[in-house]
Amino acid sequence: MTDAKNVLGTDLQLCCSDPMTGYYRDGYCRTGGQDFGVHVVCAQVTEEFLTFTKQQGNDLSTPIPAYNFPGLKPGDRWCLCVSRWQEAKDAGVAPPVILEATHIRALEAVSLDELKQYAA
């Protein structure tokens, strides 16, 4: 693990390894130069969020065996693009956030107070 920090300023914690999440598929919501979506928000997905994101063209609930993706179900944790999380918040369907596993770069787009309002 790198020295990545979370939004609380402490070491970034694992978001989820079952299913394996993160841009780098290592379980952490880390980001880098190739991660144009900035997958830094560790969220516990809800049915409302899964429906919302599917309507936006990003179906996270349907399995894709070719990519070893089981499809998400309510309660699963997943590294979300910070912009998608904010869109869901604006639509009233933001999933709860795991602050300790949300990368500090999320604060470039949303405030810590906003994230704390949705803390799991």
Side-chain angles (χ1 to χ4, degrees), residues 2-113:
T2 68
D3 58 356
K5 298 295 182 190
N6 62 35
V7 295
L8 301 174
T10 58
D11 289 342
L12 186 66
Q13 300 299 305
L14 180 75
C15 179
C16 187
S17 60
D18 185 21
M20 190 61 78
T21 190
Y23 178 76
Y24 297 104
R25 290 300 187 262
D26 62 359
Y28 292 85
C29 298
R30 298 183 303 115
T31 188
Q34 299 298 318
D35 179 14
F36 298 113
V38 191
H39 296 77
V40 294
V41 175
C42 179
Q44 187 169 335
V45 299
T46 61
E47 187 65 45
E48 295 80 13
F49 173 77
L50 291 170
T51 299
F52 171 79
T53 196
K54 186 174 185 176
Q55 291 170 343
Q56 304 305 308
N58 187 19
D59 181 359
L60 295 175
S61 54
T62 301
I64 307 172
Y67 290 101
N68 199 26
F69 178 68
L72 301 180
K73 59 189 179 315
D76 285 343
R77 291 183 176 186
W78 196 249
C79 294
L80 301 179
C81 296
V82 66
S83 59
R84 179 52 46 90
W85 185 85
Q86 180 138 39
E87 288 172 2
K89 181 183 77 67
D90 292 345
V93 294
V97 174
I98 314 308
L99 297 174
E100 296 82 5
T102 295
H103 195 282
I104 196 165
R105 286 227 17 226
L107 299 179
E108 295 174 10
V110 296
S111 73
L112 181 56
D113 286 340

